[in-house]
């Protein structure tokens, strides 16, 4: 897995490269990250990467050429490493396709991507038309650049790679993953047994693993029905809810 990130601010990716679990996995060679700074592909003394928008308006637009050349170099470096030619070139944009756990899973099985992080008011459309193969959004909000969106997306992919997490089960049991049939996760508790007068649910001390499993399933169903009824409908359409689940959901309504 290799990510090539085109960004004016590579230092913003320190949380991904310096963080314990991800850093260890990168040192083990499970994934790699290279930066390509558009500023390194300028020719003027000011190392200009932006200019005023045609047609007027506020703010500045990223020049196509420095981005284009950064992508060229990223592609050359990947080829030198023996990678395939058809690497996705992904632009982080609020108008892109909404990223989700299924896409993270697909990416985790791929060779990675070249990720473009824009700044200012936007990017010259001719670069997007010529080089970008995918546009991805992490939600309906505007950031001051694509970097934080790219960090979130890469983090969600990297933790799915074999050998990144110590405990293989913890990636399997996440909210949204198939291990929970696409339902939200149940609540978690740890010591002390009573915290500020709040006890833990008795069933978790029972040692009866069948009852614990059933309790967790029902908590998942309850929380999902309350907060994300759309995910209940999805699980039902996929045939992932049995008679016991349906009876429990019905009992919530009365
Ligand atoms: C900003 C924008 C705002 C309204 C409608 C469309 C838009 N596209 C962009 C855009 O691509 N902006 C570039 C990247 C340059 C300015 C900062 N950028 C950005 C990316 N802001 N927010 C994102 C982003 C990316 C992924 N998921 C959520 C937000």
């Amino acid at each position: 897995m290799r990510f090539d990130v085109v960004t004016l601010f590579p230092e913003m990716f320190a949380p991904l490269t310096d963080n314990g679990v991800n850093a260890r996995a990168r040192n083990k060679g499970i994934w790699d990250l290279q930066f390509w700074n558009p500023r390194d592909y300028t020719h003027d003394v000011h190392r200009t990467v932006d200019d005023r928008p045609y047609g007027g308006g506020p703010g500045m637009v990223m020049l196509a050429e420095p981005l284009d050349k950064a992508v060229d170099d990223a592609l050359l470096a990947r080829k030198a490493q023996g990678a395939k030619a058809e690497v996705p070139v992904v632009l982080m944009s609020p108008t892109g396709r909404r990223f989700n756990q299924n896409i993270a899973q697909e990416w985790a099985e791929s060779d990675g991507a070249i990720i473009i992080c824009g700044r200012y008011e936007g990017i010259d459309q001719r670069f997007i038309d010529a080089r970008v193969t995918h546009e991805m959004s992490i939600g309906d909000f505007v950031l001051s650049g694509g970097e934080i969106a790219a960090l979130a997306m890469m983090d969600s992919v990297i933790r799915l790679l074999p050998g990144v997490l110590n405990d293989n089960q913890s990636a399997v049991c996440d909210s949204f993953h198939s291990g929970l049939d696409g339902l939200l996760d149940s609540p978690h508790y740890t010591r002390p047994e009573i915290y500020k007068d709040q006890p833990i649910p008795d069933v978790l001390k029972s040692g009866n693993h069948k009852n614990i499993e059933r309790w967790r399933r029902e908590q998942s169903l309850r929380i999902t029905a309350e907060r994300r009824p759309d995910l209940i409908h999805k699980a039902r359409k996929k045939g992932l809810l049995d008679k016991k689940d349906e009876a429990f959901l019905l009992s919530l309504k009365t």
Side-chain angles (χ1 to χ4, degrees):
M1 169 77 44
R2 170 178 173 146
F3 291 111
D4 291 274
V5 177
V6 175
T7 176
L8 290 167
F9 302 104
E11 66 279 3
M12 283 186 71
F13 292 81
L16 202 64
T17 54
D18 299 358
N19 158 292
V21 173
N22 288 337
R24 219 170 305 130
R26 191 178 175 206
N27 292 333
K28 278 200 274 177
I30 293 173
W31 67 285
D32 196 17
L33 180 58
Q34 299 286 341
F35 299 110
W36 307 93
N37 194 330
R39 218 172 277 288
D40 295 335
Y41 299 90
T42 57
H43 309 293
D44 62 311
V45 280
H46 302 291
R47 309 222 288 163
T48 308
V49 292
D50 62 341
D51 205 339
R52 290 152 61 204
Y54 272 114
M60 300 291 271
V61 176
M62 284 187 94
L63 294 167
E65 193 193 49
L67 291 167
D68 210 25
K69 291 190 164 158
V71 171
D72 283 341
D73 262 8
L75 278 171
L76 279 174
R78 290 180 80 96
K79 271 184 203 148
Q81 211 191 245
K84 292 186 206 114
E86 343 82 75
V87 54
V89 177
V90 181
L91 174 65
M92 303 313 302
S93 157
T95 49
R97 176 183 178 202
R98 177 72 68 87
F99 189 72
N100 62 32
Q101 193 67 27
N102 291 329
I103 300 171
Q105 201 72 245
E106 280 175 33
W107 282 33
E109 291 158 27
S110 81
D111 298 333
I114 298 174
I115 300 177
I116 315 296
C117 300
R119 280 273 155 176
Y120 312 111
E121 292 309 302
I123 297 172
D124 190 315
Q125 186 62 34
R126 293 168 296 182
F127 165 79
I128 300 173
D129 293 343
R131 305 305 297 268
V132 170
T133 63
H134 301 70
E135 291 190 39
M136 280 288 164
S137 164
I138 62 163
D140 291 339
F141 43 85
V142 179
L143 300 165
S144 46
E147 285 82 4
I148 289 173
L151 275 166
M153 219 175 58
M154 285 191 286
D155 185 76
S156 76
V157 172
I158 290 163
R159 63 188 294 288
L160 296 176
L161 300 176
V164 173
L165 294 185
N166 342 320
D167 183 358
N168 279 335
Q169 283 305 104
S170 51
V172 169
C173 286
D174 290 335
S175 281
F176 302 114
H177 189 273
S178 52
L180 280 167
D181 295 338
L183 304 175
L184 302 181
D185 202 358
S186 56
H188 302 278
Y189 298 90
T190 186
R191 293 191 297 177
E193 207 176 300
I194 298 175
Y195 180 70
K196 290 185 175 173
D197 297 329
Q198 302 171 98
I200 64 166
D202 280 331
V203 65
L204 298 179
K205 293 184 290 178
S206 69
N208 184 326
H209 294 292
K210 223 173 164 75
N211 287 353
I212 293 170
E213 198 187 327
R214 190 64 217 158
W215 179 84
R216 286 186 172 148
R217 176 71 172 186
E218 290 180 351
Q219 292 300 308
S220 277
L221 290 164
R222 179 183 60 77
I223 291 164
T224 310
E226 279 171 13
R227 301 187 190 177
R228 293 292 304 277
D230 59 308
L231 297 177
I232 294 282
H233 296 306
K234 265 192 196 166
R236 185 176 286 132
K237 267 202 301 196
K238 287 187 186 167
L240 297 172
L241 304 183
D242 63 14
K243 278 183 185 159
K244 261 171 132 179
D245 293 334
E246 294 293 1
F248 177 76
L249 287 169
L250 209 57
S251 79
L252 288 175
K253 293 180 186 168
T254 59

